[in-house]
Amino acid sequence: MQPLFLVVDDAIFMRKMLLSILQGAGFIKFVEATNGNEAVEMYVLHRPDIVLLDISMPIKNGLEALTEIIDINPDAKVIMCTAVGKSSSVMAAIEAGAVDFIMKPFDRKKLIGAIGRHVDITENTDANA
Amino acid sequence: MIPLTDTEFREIVVYVREKYGIDLRIKRVLVENRLAGLLTKNKYTSFTELFLKMQGDYTGNIEREVLSRLTTNYTFFMREKTHFQYVVGNILPEMPKTALQNGYAAWCAGCATGQECYSLAMSLEEFRRGGGYLPNYSVLATDISQKALKTASVGEFSAEEIDSLPEKYRQRYWKQVSEAKYKISKNIRSNITFVLHNIFDATDQKKIFDSIMCRNVLIYFDSASRNAACEIFYASLKPNGYLLLGHTETILNLKHKFKYVAPAVYKKL
């Protein structure tokens, strides 16, 4: 079954880039959010298999949203998306329950590799091609 | 239509080739058709008159218009190759290894049919082959044309198109897929992400790129739009990141925070 992704970033540019890579790898199910508040709402509404969550966002940042998502579901698969130089935020996110992190802009192999570590993508995508 | 004489055509070909590296030798019809409108617009009676006016125009406006008309939808591999040399000869060597550990991130804004981003990727691969420190890299290539992006994404070009590349590039990075077509290597292709995107769609950029190439795109914008584009590029670059424009373009007369460092190369401080 195709995993459902929740892609969270306040920059439409970054969301487009993520979606382009994911679609290129054969994934087809996505929902999007533009800030931490929306991310939590969308998580509750859709219960995605995996969340790609930006750290620096207005209204509610990624770390705050992560904490709420983990409160809702301690087994949530959240991969943090971060810019270079945010290592302290990454550590805080891992401690708060994020399963992985990837650096911006997104390296296709690393992104798909990170996803593959946390959801089964062997049957329904060409991600391993 | 005013005829283009053999002598006039040769003059234009030599001038454009020597100054911009653009080869128009087999583009006679394109040159004649695209410049004819400029003759009519300016009431010139011959291509020679246009050529003389262009050389005497200290503002450079006529030359820019000539270039614009001659190069719209016309791109080729390693165009303005000094920029690719600048990336591997100046930008990468000056970046600290700690910064490169996470990879080199480039944005080709207005990538058209992909020749620019593939040229950049091949240059980066060559840098690595030569022993340069570059653990990995990613290129984001965007354009507003779905059709152009599709061509770019497929990565197949004719033998004539890749003919301008050095032999070693053709052997290392291209695979013949039919009698007349060559395809870019999977390794190169996997480092490039193509996205349909208008530069002005997003003003919420984050500082994530080490360099941005936006060449021969700003020439089509008015002053306000060029300013807006510069702001977006500035916001998208990491500190010490570079903006590379086309050699016929300048942002020196615009308000921006970039520092000019080389012809058509600007640095974010």
Side-chain angles (χ1 to χ4, degrees):
Chain A
M1 206 172 84
Q2 276 274 354
L4 174 64
F5 289 84
L6 170 57
V7 177
V8 190
D9 199 307
D10 56 314
I12 184 174
F13 193 53
M14 287 295 105
R15 297 200 305 276
K16 279 184 184 179
M17 191 175 179
L18 274 172
L19 293 182
S20 175
I21 294 173
L22 294 173
Q23 286 167 340
F27 297 111
I28 54 171
K29 293 169 71 176
F30 317 99
V31 287
E32 298 178 49
T34 62
N35 60 55
N37 269 346
E38 279 185 23
V40 176
E41 287 173 18
M42 296 297 269
Y43 188 85
V44 171
L45 198 61
H46 297 282
R47 289 287 175 148
D49 298 292
I50 199 148
V51 183
L52 301 175
L53 182 60
D54 182 32
I55 290 182
S56 303
M57 290 185 295
I59 303 176
K60 181 180 286 179
N61 70 34
L63 289 175
E64 294 169 311
L66 169 69
T67 305
E68 291 186 33
I69 289 171
I70 295 296
D71 278 347
I72 295 163
N73 176 13
D75 295 323
K77 302 282 194 297
V78 182
I79 296 176
M80 304 306 289
C81 306
T82 179
V84 175
K86 301 274 185 186
S87 53
S88 58
S89 298
V90 170
M91 292 309 296
I94 299 296
E95 285 173 15
V99 294
D100 221 322
F101 71 95
I102 48 173
M103 307 296 284
K104 292 181 181 180
F106 309 107
D107 179 299
R108 180 188 177 279
K109 291 173 205 160
K110 288 184 178 176
L111 173 62
I112 303 303
I115 292 167
R117 285 195 288 275
H118 305 289
V119 292
D120 183 8
I121 60 173
T122 52
E123 286 185 9
N124 47 14
T125 75
D126 59 356
N128 294 323
Chain B
M1 193 166 80
I2 298 167
L4 175 69
T5 68
D6 290 347
T7 307
E8 288 168 333
F9 177 61
R10 273 198 301 274
E11 276 194 64
I12 290 172
V13 167
V14 170
Y15 184 82
V16 172
R17 190 174 189 186
E18 287 185 352
K19 194 156 184 187
Y20 302 105
I22 299 171
D23 189 350
L24 297 170
R25 282 175 296 176
I26 57 166
K27 303 281 181 182
R28 181 168 184 147
V29 175
L30 178 145
V31 170
E32 192 163 28
N33 287 336
R34 292 197 174 179
L35 295 186
L38 192 56
L39 264 63
T40 307
K41 178 182 158 191
N42 291 341
K43 297 188 170 60
Y44 298 144
T45 56
S46 69
F47 284 89
T48 297
E49 187 181 356
L50 165 64
F51 203 56
L52 291 172
K53 287 279 195 320
M54 180 177 79
Q55 289 177 316
D57 176 25
Y58 70 92
T59 67
N61 287 337
I62 298 176
E63 186 163 342
R64 270 191 284 278
E65 187 161 5
V66 166
L67 256 291
S68 166
R69 285 171 182 260
L70 291 178
T71 59
T72 302
N73 298 322
Y74 178 55
T75 185
F76 51 92
F77 290 101
M78 294 294 169
R79 181 180 184 179
E80 298 179 12
K81 65 181 176 187
T82 53
H83 276 161
F84 303 108
Q85 292 164 346
Y86 194 86
V87 171
V88 299
N90 296 74
I91 297 177
L92 289 174
E94 84 172 30
M95 285 178 70
K97 284 192 174 180
T98 48
L100 282 170
Q101 274 170 3
N102 293 306
Y104 181 76
W107 175 18
C108 289
C111 69
T113 42
Q115 286 87 343
E116 179 178 273
C117 58
Y118 289 129
S119 297
L120 176 62
M122 286 186 285
S123 301
L124 296 175
E125 291 286 347
E126 285 296 306
F127 176 76
R128 285 164 127 176
R129 278 179 167 267
Y133 182 75
L134 185 62
N136 57 69
Y137 65 90
S138 63
V139 179
L140 173 64
T142 65
D143 202 90
I144 55 171
S145 165
Q146 179 87 62
K147 190 178 171 189
L149 216 51
K150 176 73 179 169
T151 301
S153 178
V154 170
E156 283 186 13
F157 297 87
S158 69
E160 289 76 25
E161 285 175 289
I162 68 161
D163 198 40
S164 61
L165 289 170
E167 176 66 22
K168 62 180 181 182
Y169 282 46
R170 294 202 299 271
Q171 288 188 356
R172 288 171 184 164
Y173 309 119
W174 297 88
K175 182 183 176 188
Q176 190 164 8
V177 290
S178 69
E179 194 174 333
K181 288 281 181 185
Y182 288 76
K183 193 175 180 75
I184 192 73
S185 74
K186 280 185 181 173
N187 182 39
I188 293 262
R189 178 64 186 82
S190 68
N191 287 299
I192 304 175
T193 302
F194 292 97
V195 175
L196 185 68
H197 179 72
N198 182 338
I199 292 166
F200 302 110
D201 275 355
T203 55
D204 50 0
Q205 304 291 48
K206 298 179 177 182
K207 304 166 192 167
I208 56 170
F209 295 105
D210 295 298
S211 71
I212 296 173
M213 279 190 167
C214 183
R215 307 189 310 163
N216 306 300
V217 173
L218 296 187
I219 47 174
Y220 304 115
F221 298 160
D222 60 21
S223 178
S225 299
R226 284 201 295 271
N227 262 325
C230 278
E231 284 181 19
I232 289 168
F233 294 150
Y234 196 87
S236 305
L237 284 167
K238 295 175 189 169
N240 299 314
Y242 287 85
L243 172 64
L244 299 101
L245 302 174
H247 280 95
T248 61
E249 299 170 309
T250 177
I251 56 169
L252 291 174
N253 54 345
L254 301 177
K255 284 182 186 172
H256 60 78
K257 300 179 218 163
F258 286 105
K259 180 189 176 191
Y260 172 88
V261 290
V265 181
Y266 299 82
K267 186 173 185 179
K268 175 176 179 174
L269 299 178

